Amino acid sequence: MRYPPEETIKRHESILKAASQMFREHGFDGVSVADVMKSAGLTHGAFPAHFASKEELILACVERAMQEMLARTDRTFNSENAKTTFFSNYLSTQHRDSPQRGCAMTTLAPEIARKSGKMRGIFTENVAALIDKMGRKFFPRRRNSRNDAMAALSMLVGAITLARAIDDETLSREILNAARLHLGVAPETESPEK
Amino acid sequence: MRYPPEETIKRHESILKAASQMFREHGFDGVSVADVMKSAGLTHGAFPAHFASKEELILACVERAMQEMLARTDRTFNSENAKTTFFSNYLSTQHRDSPQRGCAMTTLAPEIARKSGKMRGIFTENVAALIDKMGRKFFPRRRNSRNDAMAALSMLVGAITLARAIDDETLSREILNAARLHLGVAPETESPEK
DNA sequence: TGTACATCAGTGAACGCGCGTTCACTGATGTAC
DNA sequence: TGTACATCAGTGAACGCGCGTTCACTGATGTAC
């Protein structure tokens, strides 16, 4: 039957949100369209009314997740605090343990690298924007702030990637703290304030 | 029919080699058992004679690829050269463009993070060994050489991950060169000597 | 050294299963007059 | 304002397809005597 348009928009939103989280947690191939629709409280048959294909859904999710990421660099205004806060949040055990709410670059970049044109284009645009923003906000006084931003971003992505794959809590924390140290952020305390 | 044992060993080896390369290029889900067997010059029906399951094959591939990685740190003896050579090779466009022969951490870590116990255990052991080796060989005079090794490894993995997913050759090279700069390696020349 | 039999890596057909996608159908909402 | 009809997001069954795995069968190799 037909539904009021605001209901439809709301459901479209909740499909996108569920998919965005599930893809980050389980990868593109680890989540079926039926899984996503079920998680959004619907059946798989309603899917084509919202997205043309799974590929289109993935595209929308990557774009959304990357823009969430960009938005996070705006949380704090003071330049020095902004950097420390951003790096500290990124290199936290909380971020490591919550891929579904975390950075899409870490969880999905290798899969995106294997996808074709359009997907990589959207990813590229957003990474470029993030590097620009990080350079301007986090390293405003440096000669080549872009270089600093790119090196820092690489370390963030690599550290979380390794920390997540590793099975040893001590080594995993050591890696996060090594990256924190090199980026000028204090080590994470054993029991965070919460 | 039955085959001479040395033939069987040779074929087992070529299955493993083909799989190891294909998984790195296309991911675990992007390669079927039939694909691997075909690439090794056999039909899929012969698979169970070599590996109990696809999961077991993946396990063997991860172990093999990680140990290749470890072996690469041994190529040069002089400590300073070893570090520069290793970092330079890792952060090269050649490595970026050859995932099938490259570092398994970059291509497979996010997928490994989603796998269960045994797989992550093997990965962890090998990453730990790599960090130890890098610390001892590459940063022998530093106070906390483990930290340096972990931070450097994070940057290597993150830089290649991003450089591969990005669709823009200029930005991709910029990222590799930013990481090179921060690790004390000269930028890659436009047209390498070959 | 021969002979009879067991072994086992191959082949190719077949298995069940989950996937993305399609489709006939439903019925409240929106639109035309 | 009412009435007739079009619209379209839902449901659940069904589609073809590729996957990992299994299996009857083959025949050269290895083993027992």
Side-chain angles (χ1 to χ4, degrees), chain A residues 10-68:
Chain A
K10 227 182 251 175
R11 280 175 192 159
H12 187 90
E13 219 14 65
S14 67
I15 292 167
L16 197 54
K17 190 178 174 186
S20 169
Q21 295 195 1
M22 294 168 88
F23 284 143
R24 275 179 276 180
E25 188 166 359
H26 302 110
F28 298 137
D29 292 333
V31 178
S32 71
V33 168
D35 289 337
V36 171
M37 294 305 280
K38 194 178 176 186
S39 171
L42 297 165
T43 57
H44 67 277
F47 180 71
H50 292 277
F51 295 94
S53 65
K54 188 184 183 183
E55 197 68 14
E56 289 293 322
L57 173 64
I58 291 175
L59 218 62
C61 285
V62 168
E63 184 147 39
R64 185 198 178 83
M66 290 302 295
Q67 281 172 6
E68 274 175 23

Side-chain angles (χ1 to χ4, degrees), chain A residues 1-177:
Chain A
M1 66 185 207
R2 199 166 183 174
Y3 297 87
E6 72 267 17
E7 276 298 312
T8 302
I9 291 169
K10 227 182 251 175
R11 280 175 192 159
H12 187 90
E13 219 14 65
S14 67
I15 292 167
L16 197 54
K17 190 178 174 186
S20 169
Q21 295 195 1
M22 294 168 88
F23 284 143
R24 275 179 276 180
E25 188 166 359
H26 302 110
F28 298 137
D29 292 333
V31 178
S32 71
V33 168
D35 289 337
V36 171
M37 294 305 280
K38 194 178 176 186
S39 171
L42 297 165
T43 57
H44 67 277
F47 180 71
H50 292 277
F51 295 94
S53 65
K54 188 184 183 183
E55 197 68 14
E56 289 293 322
L57 173 64
I58 291 175
L59 218 62
C61 285
V62 168
E63 184 147 39
R64 185 198 178 83
M66 290 302 295
Q67 281 172 6
E68 274 175 23
M69 189 67 212
L70 267 169
R72 269 177 218 177
T73 60
D74 289 328
R75 291 281 158 80
T76 320
F77 279 89
N78 173 283
S79 206
E80 189 53 44
N81 275 356
K83 185 174 86 171
T84 311
T85 305
F86 183 80
F87 287 173
S88 179
N89 285 340
Y90 200 104
L91 293 167
S92 65
T93 49
Q94 192 189 303
H95 183 207
R96 180 197 64 187
D97 298 335
S98 315
Q100 74 281 7
R101 284 179 280 111
C103 172
M105 288 182 289
T106 310
T107 40
L108 301 176
E111 293 189 67
I112 290 169
R114 293 171 201 131
K115 297 266 178 190
S116 50
K118 203 168 178 186
M119 185 87 67
R120 295 178 71 204
I122 286 178
F123 183 78
T124 303
E125 279 174 38
N126 282 283
V127 171
L130 182 60
I131 288 170
D132 273 357
K133 211 169 190 180
M134 284 176 70
R136 279 185 284 104
K137 287 202 76 164
F138 298 163
F139 305 98
R141 289 161 196 285
R142 299 272 295 180
R143 188 82 58 87
N144 197 335
S145 57
R146 274 179 67 78
N147 265 336
D148 290 329
M150 291 187 285
L153 185 61
S154 295
M155 197 180 285
L156 293 178
V157 169
I160 286 284
T161 298
L162 292 172
R164 280 202 185 127
I166 277 170
D167 214 3
D168 174 329
E169 178 64 20
T170 307
L171 182 58
S172 179
R173 287 197 189 213
E174 255 188 298
I175 290 173
L176 292 182
N177 280 331

Side-chain angles (χ1 to χ4, degrees), chain B residues 102 133 137 149:
Chain B
K133 211 168 190 181
K137 287 201 76 162

